Amino acid sequence: MEEEPNDKLLNKKTKRENQKQKKQQKNIENQNKLLAESKKIEEISEGKVTIKLCNKDKTFSAFYNPAQELNRDLTVLSIATFMSFTKYRKEKEKKTLNEYKFNIIEPLSATGLRCIRYYAELPKEKLNSIYSNDMDPKAVECININIEKNNVDNNIFKVFTSDAAQLMYQNPKIFDVIDLDPYGTAIPFIDSCIHCSKNGALLCITFTDMPVLCGNYPETTLYKYGSIPYKSSFCHEMAIRIALYSISSAASKYKKVIKPLFSYNAEFYIRLFLIIKDSPEDCKMNPFKYGYMYHCRDCQNRSIYPMARKQDNKFKNGKPNSFVKFNNLIYPSEKCECCGSNMCMSGPFWIDNIFDEDWIKELQNNLENNYKYLKFKERIQNICKGILNELPLNEQIFNLDYSQFSRDVNLSSFKMTIFRGALENLGYKIEQSYYDPNLFKTDAPVNTIYDILKQYKKENYKDDYYKNVDEKSYKYKILSKEIKIQTTFVESTTKNNKIKYPMNPPNWGPKGRAKEIKEIKNNDEK
């Protein structure tokens, strides 16, 4: 017997009601679990401080992510290093640096942990003021509890309950250090950060919206950051360069330029450390620091095209013309020279340096001499070693993927040390990335890398050279090309700083937003 139409509608309604009740029940259970957990976690110790997460009546648990401890350790170390770093300071500033006192702001404070760590772990004689802010009054209540707990001097430490951007706009050109660690993108706060920064201020900024920056949602990346991404294995470096381009573009509106010191990728976020300086003249040099990437849709062939090039000043009517010559952004061929697939364009990106060698060495010295107690000391050392290894290849923008190269020729990856040796025998340099053993940088052309892998395949898999390769595929086109360069396959003997690749820490995700917690009971229990 078939159901009548009215019966069908009733059944659908009851199903929907049942589903709603189940969802409500789950929400009740989750809220009660959160409340129980917050009551259990009374205190957390990190660095030299101990904090509480909950307010007095324990109806609110402020946002705290244990996976971000590396971020906080490195920020403490970076601010301490900045307090004695003289490279981008004027001669007058260098002379008075020992007596100078710094103003620091963290506009999104949550528990106040970062700010309290700055008070406890930075040299007291170098601190003038620390601004801690959160727009949620219950989070500010947590901050005040933690201030009392850690005996913080109220003359230095100032707490605000305000909108983050509004607080920074209300304090123009005051702060020497701005530490911004938002939930998701930092783009809505960039202008206000620039507005409140002194000339030569340090900006420490986190981006956790990696799906957007790494190319999962290119239309979102374009309207937020003004750049078209490319989803690829080197997307984390691309994320850093997109963020730097966006910050630089925002700073130039106020006749300011950025000087990147240190940028790194870890787990689910990127963290940037850069100096913001007043310099209308240097703003004119920005087109040389921006560029586009033309890349193959299938293989790893790519080219970086700067937005502009320098030209000699030519006088016209007694006035000098611009020394900037903007490039024609037209790729020589629509087809890839490696595999014949279509080429496409991404960008613009920041194509200038993202690391400062002097800063990284100063960071290492400070870590060894003054901050040995940091929990993530070894991880920080490892990141610094890896970046210093890469610096000789600093002009090679974006990593290459060894696994992807192997897949492009239908070959099982052989030992990285043998691959390194094959490149070095041809006179090329190669360095692995500090965060992924499969990613590397080299000054060898992409065609040369494919020739090395094809040669290895011919020598070791003579009868299976074209096995499981479709004749119409881009892989077949790569394999069928003549091998123009020959090398010898011997393990590399180059001794570099060994990089250890850490596992993701437990609970390493970005976590949800902080929420007010209320004990909820079922209707039956009321």
Side-chain angles (χ1 to χ4, degrees):
M1 293 281 296
E2 289 187 9
E3 285 184 316
E4 291 184 10
N6 289 336
D7 292 337
K8 283 184 179 180
L9 287 171
L10 285 170
N11 287 334
K12 283 182 181 179
K13 282 182 181 179
T14 51
K15 281 180 182 179
R16 284 174 190 167
E17 287 174 4
N18 288 335
Q19 285 175 351
K20 280 183 182 179
Q21 285 177 1
K22 284 179 181 178
K23 283 182 181 179
Q24 287 174 356
Q25 184 64 32
K26 278 185 181 180
N27 288 336
I28 291 167
E29 289 172 3
N30 290 336
Q31 285 287 327
N32 289 335
K33 277 181 185 178
L34 282 170
L35 181 61
E37 285 172 10
S38 66
K39 286 178 178 177
K40 284 178 187 176
I41 304 169
E42 286 290 333
E43 293 185 347
I44 286 170
S45 294
E46 188 176 297
K48 291 184 176 181
V49 304
T50 302
I51 62 157
K52 290 188 176 183
L53 297 183
C54 295
N55 58 351
K56 288 178 181 177
D57 55 6
K58 296 183 180 179
T59 59
F60 179 85
S61 182
F63 184 88
Y64 169 79
N65 193 348
Q68 287 274 34
E69 190 170 352
L70 167 66
N71 183 327
R72 292 185 285 270
D73 279 359
L74 231 168
T75 305
V76 169
L77 178 63
S78 296
I79 295 173
T81 304
F82 175 69
M83 287 176 167
S84 59
F85 193 64
T86 59
K87 184 173 180 178
Y88 297 106
R89 299 185 189 276
K90 295 176 182 177
E91 288 303 317
K92 287 182 181 178
E93 293 172 338
K94 290 178 184 178
K95 290 176 184 177
T96 58
L97 188 59
N98 288 334
E99 292 79 36
Y100 187 80
K101 292 191 174 185
F102 291 79
N103 296 313
I104 302 171
I105 183 171
E106 192 204 353
L108 302 165
S109 292
T111 60
L113 172 60
R114 284 174 181 267
C115 289
I116 295 168
R117 283 194 66 180
Y118 301 154
Y119 176 82
E121 298 174 47
L122 296 175
K124 294 282 192 306
E125 66 277 7
K126 304 289 277 182
L127 296 175
N128 183 55
S129 68
I130 298 173
Y131 282 41
S132 179
N133 173 72
D134 202 287
M135 70 185 299
D136 192 323
K138 293 202 172 185
V140 172
E141 193 182 327
C142 293
I143 294 170
N144 287 322
I145 289 168
N146 293 325
I147 286 171
E148 289 178 17
K149 186 170 182 61
N150 290 277
N151 300 317
V152 174
D153 185 352
N154 290 323
N155 293 322
I156 293 174
F157 206 98
K158 300 175 182 180
V159 183
F160 297 85
T161 310
S162 175
D163 176 79
Q166 187 179 350
L167 178 65
M168 290 189 279
Y169 278 127
Q170 289 170 347
N171 293 278
K173 298 182 180 180
I174 285 181
F175 299 105
D176 303 280
V177 178
I178 302 101
D179 179 14
L180 190 66
D181 186 32
Y183 184 91
T185 181
I187 289 297
F189 305 100
I190 298 297
D191 275 43
S192 53
C193 286
I194 294 164
H195 190 74
C196 75
S197 64
K198 282 186 180 178
N199 183 21
L202 176 69
L203 176 59
C204 318
I205 187 164
T206 307
F207 294 82
T208 62
D209 58 332
M210 297 307 288
V212 173
L213 282 165
C214 288
N216 285 4
Y217 310 100
E219 66 286 350
T220 308
T221 317
L222 182 60
Y223 80 69
K224 280 188 178 180
Y225 295 91
S227 181
I228 301 168
Y230 173 53
K231 191 174 180 181
S232 61
S233 54
F234 56 82
C235 63
H236 296 96
E237 182 186 347
M238 181 185 67
I240 289 170
R241 293 186 180 276
I242 288 175
L244 286 172
Y245 164 74
S246 190
I247 296 168
S248 176
S249 299
S252 61
K253 292 186 292 186
Y254 303 97
K255 299 180 180 179
K256 294 173 182 280
V257 293
I258 64 168
K259 304 282 184 185
L261 302 172
F262 185 82
S263 304
Y264 74 96
N265 156 62
E267 286 87 50
F268 58 91
Y269 67 93
I270 55 171
R271 180 75 163 164
L272 316 179
F273 297 90
L274 51 100
I275 285 174
I276 302 175
K277 286 187 70 69
D278 297 335
S279 183
E281 285 301 313
D282 284 345
C283 285
K284 296 175 184 176
M285 309 297 283
N286 279 342
F288 309 127
K289 300 171 185 176
Y290 304 155
Y292 297 84
M293 177 179 65
Y294 288 94
H295 56 87
C296 177
R297 287 196 176 277
D298 290 320
C299 75
Q300 292 210 73
N301 185 26
R302 69 188 74 142
S303 298
I304 303 296
Y305 272 56
M307 189 178 282
R309 63 183 186 277
K310 290 182 183 178
Q311 67 173 1
D312 295 330
N313 283 338
K314 295 181 180 179
F315 287 84
K316 186 177 181 181
N317 300 326
K319 295 181 180 179
N321 284 345
S322 172
F323 56 86
V324 177
K325 178 72 174 177
F326 286 94
N327 289 326
N328 296 323
L329 298 173
I330 301 171
Y331 196 69
S333 172
E334 291 183 6
K335 299 294 181 181
C336 173
E337 59 183 12
C338 293
C339 70
S341 299
N342 290 328
M343 300 293 288
C344 58
M345 187 182 78
S346 297
F349 308 109
W350 177 271
I351 61 169
D352 203 40
N353 293 338
I354 59 175
F355 304 117
D356 186 299
E357 186 174 0
D358 297 328
W359 171 269
I360 294 169
K361 288 178 178 176
E362 191 92 14
L363 206 68
Q364 285 180 313
N365 290 334
N366 205 4
L367 183 64
E368 287 299 321
N369 296 328
N370 304 310
Y371 289 90
K372 287 183 179 179
Y373 66 88
L374 293 176
K375 181 180 175 180
F376 283 90
K377 178 192 169 187
E378 288 185 15
R379 179 90 182 268
I380 295 168
Q381 285 174 331
N382 198 53
I383 291 171
C384 290
K385 283 178 186 177
I387 290 169
L388 289 173
N389 286 350
E390 284 185 34
L391 282 180
L393 294 163
N394 211 21
E395 292 181 3
Q396 307 302 318
I397 295 165
F398 298 127
N399 288 292
L400 297 164
D401 187 349
Y402 178 52
S403 296
Q404 184 60 51
F405 272 113
S406 300
R407 286 194 291 272
D408 287 346
V409 294
N410 250 35
L411 174 69
S412 298
S413 300
F414 52 93
K415 282 179 77 174
M416 190 71 175
T417 49
I418 296 174
F419 175 67
R420 176 192 283 271
L423 276 171
E424 288 173 345
N425 288 335
L426 293 171
Y428 295 111
K429 297 175 185 174
I430 174 174
E431 289 297 340
Q432 285 172 276
S433 163
Y434 67 89
Y435 62 89
D436 188 334
N438 278 318
L439 299 181
F440 67 94
K441 288 191 175 182
T442 180
D443 52 353
V446 172
N447 267 327
T448 300
I449 297 170
Y450 280 125
D451 279 354
I452 289 169
L453 296 174
K454 287 190 290 184
Q455 182 192 340
Y456 184 88
K457 190 173 184 181
K458 274 199 170 177
E459 289 178 7
N460 294 276
Y461 304 91
K462 293 178 184 178
D463 300 328
D464 298 332
Y465 188 70
Y466 288 107
K467 187 178 179 182
N468 297 327
V469 179
D470 188 347
E471 290 185 10
K472 293 180 181 179
S473 69
Y474 78 95
K475 294 181 181 182
Y476 188 87
K477 291 173 184 175
I478 294 172
L479 288 168
S480 59
K481 276 198 163 189
E482 180 190 353
I483 300 173
K484 295 179 180 179
I485 293 170
Q486 297 284 331
T487 186
T488 52
F489 294 97
V490 182
E491 283 200 53
S492 171
T493 56
T494 305
K495 290 183 180 179
N496 289 314
N497 288 325
K498 288 186 178 179
I499 305 169
K500 296 176 183 177
Y501 295 97
M503 298 290 287
N504 285 335
N507 305 316
W508 65 268
K511 287 189 71 178
R513 294 178 185 272
K515 291 179 181 178
E516 187 173 350
I517 300 169
K518 293 179 180 178
E519 192 164 9
I520 304 170
K521 296 182 180 180
N522 295 326
N523 291 327
D524 297 336
E525 294 175 359
K526 286 182 180 179

